[in-house]
Amino acid sequence: MASYRGHLMFSSVLGSAYGATGSWFLNLDWGPAMLGAGVATLGGLLPDLDSDSGVPVRELFGLAATIIPLLLLHRLRLLGFSVEQTIVLVALIYLFIRYGVANVFKRYTVHRGMFHSIPGMLIAGLGVYLVYNTSDEVVRWFVAGGVMLGFLSHLVLDELCSVDFMGAKIRLNKFAGSALKFWSPSAVATFFAYLLLFGLGAALWLHYAPPDDPFGPIFVRKLR
Ligand SMILES: [Zn+2]
């Protein structure tokens, strides 16, 4: 597997290209373009949240705990919370991710298990799409796409080789063939990953369905 540093270098180059593409082809402002570049860079580190040890992982959880409430800010304001209430909620979400989610990950995930997989990538992308509530759908998908692109770059790097950028040494990894996967040897982990993906997919469906007719014309007409 590639090192933390290797992933960071690769995904930051990829993220910069992604941001530049967004500003050039989608005419995005520097804000959304650089946000996309940043989340793509972070996406490249995200799968290694499942490794139990090391300063980078702790740092990564700190970063995730900071960025997720920031992405949620707009949504919290829309829900009508006051400034003070928003600050309290943001702090609570930070603590929940930094300590709660981090502990769950430490206890229940296996390094290079279901979090290093294609469903894992889709979960990260859909999660960011649903959390990051902006009225501009292009920007919303651009940011969600950035996370998935970074995540995918991580899986590909893990899959293919152990890259040592400092020594420019590339060799085939003994774990090759275990990162770009759709299921893991653990049936329980696979089941929970797909359950989560299904839940996020359903949330996305409801997001696009008309509010008075959430299940679309097919189901509702039958029920009536
Ligand atoms: Zn990895």
Side-chain angles (χ1 to χ4, degrees):
M1 73 195 76
S3 66
Y4 177 78
R5 195 188 209 143
H7 282 303
L8 182 60
M9 288 181 74
F10 190 67
S11 68
S12 57
V13 171
L14 198 67
S16 310
Y18 187 67
T21 307
S23 89
W24 188 260
F25 291 104
L26 298 173
N27 287 318
L28 295 179
D29 180 52
W30 67 265
M34 288 187 78
L35 182 62
V39 292
T41 305
L42 278 180
L45 302 174
L46 211 54
D48 278 346
L49 280 180
D50 64 10
S51 82
D52 284 342
S53 55
V55 178
V57 177
R58 237 174 301 141
E59 220 172 85
L60 209 52
F61 262 109
L63 213 56
T66 310
I67 285 171
I68 291 169
L70 283 178
L71 291 177
L72 269 169
L73 257 187
H74 191 61
R75 174 168 292 231
L76 290 175
R77 295 298 286 148
L78 281 181
L79 287 173
F81 291 109
S82 70
V83 177
E84 295 78 13
Q85 288 169 334
T86 305
I87 293 171
V88 171
L89 287 173
V90 161
L92 286 176
I93 296 166
Y94 173 86
L95 291 173
F96 174 71
I97 295 171
R98 182 69 184 79
Y99 298 100
V101 178
N103 271 332
V104 168
F105 259 75
K106 207 167 179 173
R107 285 185 70 154
Y108 296 108
T109 61
V110 179
H111 187 42
R112 295 175 63 93
M114 259 329 260
F115 211 61
H116 273 72
S117 69
I118 302 290
M121 177 193 80
L122 294 173
I123 288 168
L126 283 183
V128 165
Y129 178 85
L130 291 168
V131 161
Y132 185 52
N133 186 18
T134 168
S135 49
D136 192 334
E137 284 290 311
V138 174
V139 170
R140 213 169 159 182
W141 278 115
F142 181 72
V143 172
V147 170
M148 288 196 273
L149 182 72
F151 206 106
L152 186 66
S153 83
H154 183 112
L155 298 183
V156 170
L157 267 193
D158 270 1
E159 174 91 3
L160 289 181
C161 48
S162 157
V163 183
D164 185 350
F165 283 95
M166 297 302 123
K169 184 177 64 184
I170 298 179
R171 62 185 167 80
L172 206 66
N173 176 7
K174 63 174 173 170
F175 292 104
S178 64
L180 270 171
K181 61 180 178 293
F182 285 90
W183 55 82
S184 83
S186 161
V188 178
T190 308
F191 173 75
F192 274 108
Y194 276 97
L195 192 69
L196 191 57
L197 185 58
F198 182 78
L200 291 172
L204 187 72
W205 183 21
L206 289 178
H207 170 73
Y208 278 114
D212 54 328
D213 191 7
F215 293 102
I218 316 154
F219 291 91
V220 174
R221 255 180 226 149
K222 269 185 188 164
L223 287 172
R224 279 174 192 153

